[in-house]
Amino acid sequence: MSTAFSLAPLFRSSVGFDRFNDLFETALRNEPGSTYPPYNVEKHGDDQYRIVVAAAGFQEEDLELQVEKGVLTISGGKRDANEGVTFLHQGIAQRAFKLSFRLADHIEIKAADLSNGLLSIDLLRVIPEEAKAKRIPINGAQKPALQH
């Protein structure tokens, strides 16, 4: 019996989070059957992310991307069977799927592309000026006189 503890499930369904408490909350709500289709969550810099989903056999019209209340949902519909085709072996899964990713605040979807059976979704953290940290200068050399 292994006593190793893996944090990998925490990072699979959240993008842009730097705090562990948000990841633990998401892991508790994670669906157990969300391993199809396989996908990667990649970080390409401080504020750039990419989700890559293996969508073999799906075309653009079979896929749908939707963002609602900070959750990105990727779904693929089951394709219609080809008329007059009898499969002797069908190893390419084309079943319907639905993946959900909770996005951190200020994460925006910049682009989505389907190429060579991989659906790539580019995300960018855009922090508004009013939310950025501001440096406050300390004027130690000159102290204004207090007026009474």
Side-chain angles (χ1 to χ4, degrees):
M1 185 166 149
S2 174
T3 58
F5 182 71
S6 173
L7 294 177
L10 302 176
F11 295 103
R12 286 194 306 224
S13 62
S14 299
V15 179
F17 284 99
D18 297 326
R19 299 180 306 268
F20 277 116
N21 59 342
D22 293 323
L23 294 175
F24 283 113
E25 177 186 329
T26 303
L28 294 175
R29 292 184 285 122
N30 196 15
E31 298 175 17
S34 63
T35 59
Y36 175 81
Y39 60 90
N40 292 338
V41 179
E42 306 168 353
K43 186 171 183 177
H44 290 263
D46 289 340
D47 296 324
Q48 297 176 341
Y49 302 90
R50 178 177 288 152
I51 298 171
V52 181
V53 179
F58 287 94
Q59 297 176 1
E60 288 180 28
E61 58 267 14
D62 301 327
L63 301 169
E64 182 179 331
L65 301 176
Q66 180 177 342
V67 176
E68 183 177 357
K69 296 181 182 177
V71 176
L72 168 64
T73 303
I74 306 164
S75 55
K78 186 175 183 178
R79 299 192 56 201
D80 295 332
N82 297 336
E83 291 290 325
V85 175
T86 303
F87 289 99
L88 301 178
H89 172 75
Q90 187 173 6
I92 300 173
Q94 291 181 339
R95 62 183 186 256
F97 70 88
K98 185 175 183 178
L99 296 172
S100 294
F101 298 90
R102 184 171 172 224
L103 302 177
D105 292 337
H106 312 298
I107 296 286
E108 296 179 4
I109 296 177
K110 288 300 177 188
D113 179 59
L114 180 65
S115 177
N116 297 326
L118 296 175
L119 173 65
S120 298
I121 304 159
D122 292 328
L123 304 137
L124 181 66
R125 182 192 320 256
V126 180
I127 301 175
E129 285 298 318
E130 61 271 8
K132 290 182 180 178
K134 295 180 179 99
R135 185 169 182 90
I136 310 298
I138 300 173
N139 297 324
Q142 299 176 349
K143 291 187 179 180
L146 295 176
Q147 303 285 332
H148 289 285

